[in-house]
Amino acid sequence: MRSLLFAGAMRPDHVARLPRSAPDAVVIDLEDAVSAQHKGAARSAAAELTADLRASNPELDIYVRVNAVATSWFAADMAVALSPSATGVVVPKVEDVADLDAVQGALARAELPGLRVIVGIESARGIACVERVLAGGIHAAYFGAEDLISDIGGRRTPEGTEVLYARSRFVLAARLGGVIPVDQVVVDVRDADAFRTDALRGRALGFSGKLCVHPSQVGVANEVFGVTEEERDRAARLLEAWTAAAATGVGAIEFEGRMVDEPAVRAARETLRRAAAPTHEQQ
Amino acid sequence: MRSLLFAGAMRPDHVARLPRSAPDAVVIDLEDAVSAQHKGAARSAAAELTADLRASNPELDIYVRVNAVATSWFAADMAVALSPSATGVVVPKVEDVADLDAVQGALARAELPGLRVIVGIESARGIACVERVLAGGIHAAYFGAEDLISDIGGRRTPEGTEVLYARSRFVLAARLGGVIPVDQVVVDVRDADAFRTDALRGRALGFSGKLCVHPSQVGVANEVFGVTEEERDRAARLLEAWTAAAATGVGAIEFEGRMVDEPAVRAARETLRRAAAPTHEQQ
Amino acid sequence: MRSLLFAGAMRPDHVARLPRSAPDAVVIDLEDAVSAQHKGAARSAAAELTADLRASNPELDIYVRVNAVATSWFAADMAVALSPSATGVVVPKVEDVADLDAVQGALARAELPGLRVIVGIESARGIACVERVLAGGIHAAYFGAEDLISDIGGRRTPEGTEVLYARSRFVLAARLGGVIPVDQVVVDVRDADAFRTDALRGRALGFSGKLCVHPSQVGVANEVFGVTEEERDRAARLLEAWTAAAATGVGAIEFEGRMVDEPAVRAARETLRRAAAPTHEQQ
């Protein structure tokens, strides 16, 4: 899940164009992209928008983002907006393990038990219980820096140092729970360099992909969270050199100026595995 | 509480001049600013210094910093140094929830139950229990980077990367507990740029204000943790643009090159609220 | 423990040369530096290599790194590779308090109860329980950034921002548990500047020393984690100035442009203590 592109449910034109930039998954949004007075209309539109998108994109991962469990819109969103055409549901602002129970209950009532669940962790309370929330049963989770920093009363900066603690704690918790970690939004939609820089930071931290709020961000996300030819070739050379040394009993060698042992070997194998995997299996 | 200016209780001249730089709050210090052999004299002086300051500054928030709960000075400091003229007490090096009980007990014995409590978190043990200590009943808390790094055996650097984990964890815990978070000291009292840079970092992290150890730092703190005209104007423009879009059902718009939705709208409203608030209410 | 130099047990030439660069401690490695098919041979060689090294270096701290508790090699490593000539054992990839019990049990069975234990924390699970694992009974612990980031699925960068959260949390836990914290490897063995920069960051964070994977790194580690003449002289001047002021009751003074009080005084005393200590006592 290298890229997860959003469009608001009140913008059918944007929704229809979602697949064009080739994101790994798309999200029809009922939450932040829809204003309070139009939540009902958006909810009614969502199932049809999903079905249309599915009809022309049978292989695409299509999600619907509902409003948070604590809102008055949540129950109706889960009952009306979801459909068997959807791959899963995105639940924002999860702050408690009880929120997960509410989601599972609503999925059961909607008779959609097979739908995947992606949760958003994007508040002080959400971070405080992130280890418990991401402990299991969830497909993926995203880290919401904008909401978090607004909740804490801080300010976003290009460096992102203000969210490094929460972002790092999130990705560690996700990996422990076997949940795919998806990185924060970059709201400067005109600044491709800012997106790339932030994506590289997310990748270094251990994220699998990134939320995208503009089609132009998708290609960069797919590239940064994918495997480049150069990376693939280096991994192959490294494994060859290490395997030759290992035959003589040596497990740590110097390779192209660096000490290389078990962790680097594991990473190289993972690189080759991802380079060989079909796109929709890449995480 | 944008600025909290300290003066030692053995320096009545400094104490008398505390209000000149217009800090949001002042602290008469019995702890680090007073050497061990003068703790008794400082303690006796504190109540009178507080009363004098109060007489000429009826609206000023005046605090007394006592010595840590674990010291032999704490009980007498609480019994003698505080007075109804004080706004509250600052308790340094809190390392345990039991320390808070000791403070409340001492306030009750001194018949000063209305005094506000500000605690300092500034040791490895303090950080280890910061979520529990800041869980409630405290007005504000400060993060003490100098003491913390000395306790851990590290070194302070201008970038402050060495305390980013603890500083971030502190501010998250404070926001969760409803406690006003006050940021670390900058000891380079001659370097106004260093103070400003560090204050901007603290603001981005979510702090409400900063400890000041020199009057020249107060103005910068008040500016950085206040709302500028530019910020106020941008917030007003953003709300206007978003409100117009929301009427058509769209909750996420592009505004001056950035994707703007719920979190940005909340932050803009908070900016306007703070810009409109009288200074002594700003947090 | 400013420097801890590794050599693989299958490289007797490297092991014999370990003391030349004057590390504070050396490690004969059975883990990452030995490939799977040679674990048995390396294990058999280890005790003899230790004895030879001890014979010519009676004062040297000599450790043997065994394979992780969860591997099939661990029990035999503990039974065969250790000897009374060794100072202690290094146990990598500790992920649970139960791992420590396994180590103590194996040491008891090998009738080597006096051996020191150094553990490696280098996985998502290890970081998740680092506070409990480092709570006591361990001599030292190292932070393994390469393995950790490989486990999380991230990427190492020269800045190391991707491990700052885990590295900071580790050193805080170590200081709380009274365990000597040893910092991460730098695998760019040809880049002395990279090693120095990373060592300075580790020192700022509170680490006592650094893992070294090449003899050229040892001198830099000893220098960075030791006390320079300049540091010693500044500490002496600071204490002199502060002591003079303290006699008049003032505990916070301006010293060479900085506000100096209790934390700085404690740090200066620690600097002088370390500068006066014999090398093998420096931590």
Side-chain angles (χ1 to χ4, degrees):
Chain A
M1 201 180 286
R2 300 168 304 173
S3 51
L4 202 64
L5 180 61
F6 280 69
M10 292 300 283
R11 297 297 304 262
D13 51 335
H14 287 186
V15 172
R17 285 199 298 266
L18 277 171
R20 284 199 198 166
S21 54
D24 285 349
V26 303
V27 182
I28 301 170
D29 191 18
L30 303 177
E31 198 218 8
D32 286 347
V34 176
S35 60
Q37 61 267 48
H38 295 79
K39 294 292 189 189
R43 181 188 300 140
S44 303
E48 195 177 340
L49 288 168
T50 307
D52 290 351
L53 210 51
R54 168 64 65 228
S56 46
N57 301 275
E59 298 296 322
L60 185 63
D61 279 349
I62 307 173
Y63 290 86
V64 175
R65 182 162 76 171
V66 297
N67 288 282
V69 174
T71 66
S72 59
W73 304 303
F74 172 74
D77 285 352
M78 295 293 288
V80 175
L82 300 180
S83 71
S85 296
T87 308
V89 60
V90 179
V91 184
K93 299 186 180 59
V94 168
E95 300 196 322
D96 205 311
V97 173
D99 288 356
L100 299 182
D101 298 337
V103 172
Q104 292 300 341
L107 284 177
R109 279 190 293 281
E111 296 185 3
L112 294 164
L115 254 54
R116 288 182 178 168
V117 177
I118 301 181
V119 303
I121 302 291
E122 38 193 342
S123 64
R125 286 189 62 203
I127 289 296
C129 66
V130 67
E131 291 82 9
R132 290 196 304 278
V133 167
L134 302 189
I138 295 167
H139 180 65
Y142 70 85
F143 174 68
E146 303 299 315
D147 267 296
L148 172 66
I149 215 68
S150 157
D151 186 36
I152 293 180
R155 275 184 190 177
R156 295 286 286 126
T157 68
E159 296 75 29
T161 311
E162 69 282 357
V163 294
L164 182 62
Y165 166 79
R167 197 180 181 191
S168 303
R169 186 172 159 183
F170 171 94
V171 74
L172 186 76
R175 291 303 184 190
L176 278 167
V179 172
I180 301 172
V182 183
D183 195 23
Q184 65 198 15
V185 153
V186 171
V187 295
D188 294 292
V189 290
R190 301 287 172 206
D191 187 345
D193 285 346
F195 186 86
R196 180 179 296 272
T197 302
D198 201 57
L200 286 167
R201 286 196 199 110
R203 165 105 196 242
L205 282 164
F207 283 91
S208 294
K210 208 158 171 61
L211 299 186
C212 299
V213 292
H214 194 276
S216 65
Q217 298 179 329
V218 170
V220 184
N222 287 352
E223 183 197 325
V224 169
F225 291 97
V227 177
T228 65
E229 264 189 67
E230 190 190 331
E231 288 166 351
R232 196 193 54 202
D233 293 351
R234 184 183 180 278
R237 289 198 308 276
L238 186 155
L239 282 177
E240 193 179 356
W242 183 83
T243 305
T248 71
V250 173
I253 61 167
E254 193 178 319
F255 171 73
E256 299 178 5
R258 291 163 159 265
M259 193 277 294
V260 156
D261 61 6
E262 195 56 33
V265 169
R266 267 207 316 279
R269 286 195 181 117
E270 173 66 11
T271 297
L272 294 185
R273 190 194 67 75
R274 293 173 66 214
T279 297
H280 69 277
E281 281 188 18
Q282 291 194 0
Q283 300 193 344
Chain B
M1 201 180 284
R2 301 168 303 173
S3 52
L4 201 65
L5 181 61
F6 280 70
M10 292 301 282
R11 297 298 303 259
D13 50 336
H14 287 185
V15 172
R17 285 199 298 265
L18 278 172
R20 284 198 197 168
S21 54
D24 285 348
V26 303
V27 182
I28 301 170
D29 190 19
L30 304 178
E31 198 219 7
D32 286 348
V34 175
S35 60
Q37 60 267 50
H38 295 80
K39 294 291 189 189
R43 181 188 300 140
S44 303
E48 194 177 341
L49 288 167
T50 307
D52 290 351
L53 210 50
R54 169 62 66 228
S56 44
N57 301 276
E59 298 296 322
L60 185 64
D61 278 349
I62 307 173
Y63 290 86
V64 175
R65 182 162 76 170
V66 297
N67 288 282
V69 174
T71 66
S72 59
W73 303 304
F74 172 74
D77 285 353
M78 295 293 287
V80 174
L82 300 181
S83 71
S85 296
T87 307
V89 60
V90 178
V91 184
K93 297 186 182 59
V94 168
E95 299 196 323
D96 204 312
V97 174
D99 288 356
L100 300 182
D101 298 336
V103 172
Q104 292 300 341
L107 284 177
R109 279 190 294 280
E111 296 185 3
L112 294 164
L115 254 54
R116 288 180 178 168
V117 176
I118 301 180
V119 303
I121 302 291
E122 39 192 342
S123 63
R125 288 189 61 204
I127 289 297
C129 67
V130 66
E131 291 82 9
R132 290 196 305 278
V133 167
L134 302 189
I138 295 167
H139 180 65
Y142 70 84
F143 174 68
E146 303 298 317
D147 267 296
L148 173 66
I149 215 67
S150 155
D151 187 36
I152 292 180
R155 275 185 190 176
R156 296 287 285 128
T157 68
E159 296 74 29
T161 311
E162 69 282 357
V163 293
L164 182 62
Y165 166 79
R167 198 181 180 191
S168 304
R169 186 172 160 184
F170 171 94
V171 73
L172 186 77
R175 291 303 185 190
L176 277 167
V179 172
I180 300 171
V182 184
D183 195 24
Q184 66 199 12
V185 154
V186 172
V187 296
D188 293 292
V189 291
R190 302 286 172 207
D191 188 344
D193 284 348
F195 186 86
R196 179 179 298 272
T197 302
D198 201 57
L200 286 167
R201 285 196 200 111
R203 167 104 196 242
L205 283 164
F207 283 92
S208 295
K210 209 158 170 59
L211 299 185
C212 299
V213 292
H214 194 277
S216 65
Q217 298 179 329
V218 171
V220 184
N222 287 352
E223 183 197 325
V224 169
F225 291 97
V227 177
T228 65
E229 263 188 68
E230 190 190 331
E231 288 167 350
R232 196 194 53 202
D233 292 350
R234 184 182 180 279
R237 289 198 309 275
L238 187 155
L239 282 177
E240 193 178 356
W242 183 84
T243 305
T248 71
V250 174
I253 60 167
E254 193 179 318
F255 171 74
E256 300 180 4
R258 289 164 160 264
M259 193 277 293
V260 156
D261 61 6
E262 195 55 34
V265 169
R266 267 207 316 278
R269 286 198 181 115
E270 173 67 11
T271 297
L272 293 185
R273 191 193 67 74
R274 293 172 66 213
T279 297
H280 70 276
E281 280 187 20
Q282 291 193 0
Q283 298 190 346
Chain C
M1 200 180 285
R2 300 168 303 174
S3 51
L4 203 64
L5 181 61
F6 281 70
M10 292 300 282
R11 298 297 303 261
D13 50 336
H14 287 186
V15 172
R17 285 200 297 266
L18 278 171
R20 283 199 198 167
S21 54
D24 285 349
V26 303
V27 182
I28 300 171
D29 191 19
L30 303 178
E31 198 217 9
D32 286 347
V34 176
S35 60
Q37 61 267 50
H38 295 79
K39 294 291 190 189
R43 180 188 301 140
S44 303
E48 194 176 340
L49 287 168
T50 308
D52 290 350
L53 209 51
R54 169 63 66 228
S56 45
N57 302 275
E59 297 296 323
L60 185 63
D61 278 349
I62 307 173
Y63 291 86
V64 175
R65 182 161 77 170
V66 296
N67 288 281
V69 174
T71 66
S72 59
W73 303 304
F74 172 75
D77 285 353
M78 294 293 288
V80 175
L82 301 180
S83 71
S85 296
T87 308
V89 60
V90 178
V91 184
K93 298 187 181 57
V94 168
E95 299 196 321
D96 204 311
V97 173
D99 287 355
L100 300 182
D101 298 337
V103 172
Q104 293 300 340
L107 285 177
R109 278 190 295 281
E111 295 185 4
L112 293 164
L115 253 55
R116 288 180 179 170
V117 176
I118 301 181
V119 303
I121 302 291
E122 39 192 340
S123 64
R125 287 189 63 203
I127 289 296
C129 67
V130 66
E131 291 82 9
R132 291 195 305 279
V133 167
L134 302 190
I138 294 167
H139 181 64
Y142 70 84
F143 174 68
E146 302 299 316
D147 268 296
L148 173 66
I149 214 68
S150 156
D151 186 36
I152 293 180
R155 275 185 189 175
R156 295 286 286 128
T157 68
E159 296 74 29
T161 311
E162 68 282 358
V163 294
L164 182 61
Y165 166 79
R167 196 180 182 192
S168 303
R169 186 172 160 184
F170 171 94
V171 74
L172 185 76
R175 291 303 185 189
L176 278 167
V179 172
I180 301 171
V182 183
D183 195 24
Q184 65 198 15
V185 153
V186 172
V187 295
D188 293 291
V189 291
R190 301 287 173 207
D191 187 344
D193 284 346
F195 185 87
R196 179 179 297 273
T197 301
D198 201 56
L200 286 168
R201 286 197 199 109
R203 166 103 198 243
L205 283 164
F207 283 91
S208 295
K210 209 159 171 61
L211 300 186
C212 299
V213 292
H214 194 277
S216 65
Q217 298 179 329
V218 171
V220 183
N222 287 351
E223 182 196 326
V224 169
F225 291 97
V227 177
T228 65
E229 264 188 67
E230 190 189 330
E231 288 167 350
R232 196 192 56 201
D233 292 351
R234 185 183 179 279
R237 288 197 310 275
L238 187 156
L239 282 177
E240 192 179 358
W242 183 84
T243 305
T248 71
V250 173
I253 61 168
E254 193 179 318
F255 170 74
E256 300 179 4
R258 291 165 158 262
M259 193 276 295
V260 157
D261 61 8
E262 195 56 33
V265 168
R266 268 207 315 279
R269 286 195 181 118
E270 174 66 11
T271 297
L272 294 185
R273 189 193 68 73
R274 293 173 65 214
T279 297
H280 70 275
E281 282 188 19
Q282 291 193 1
Q283 302 190 346

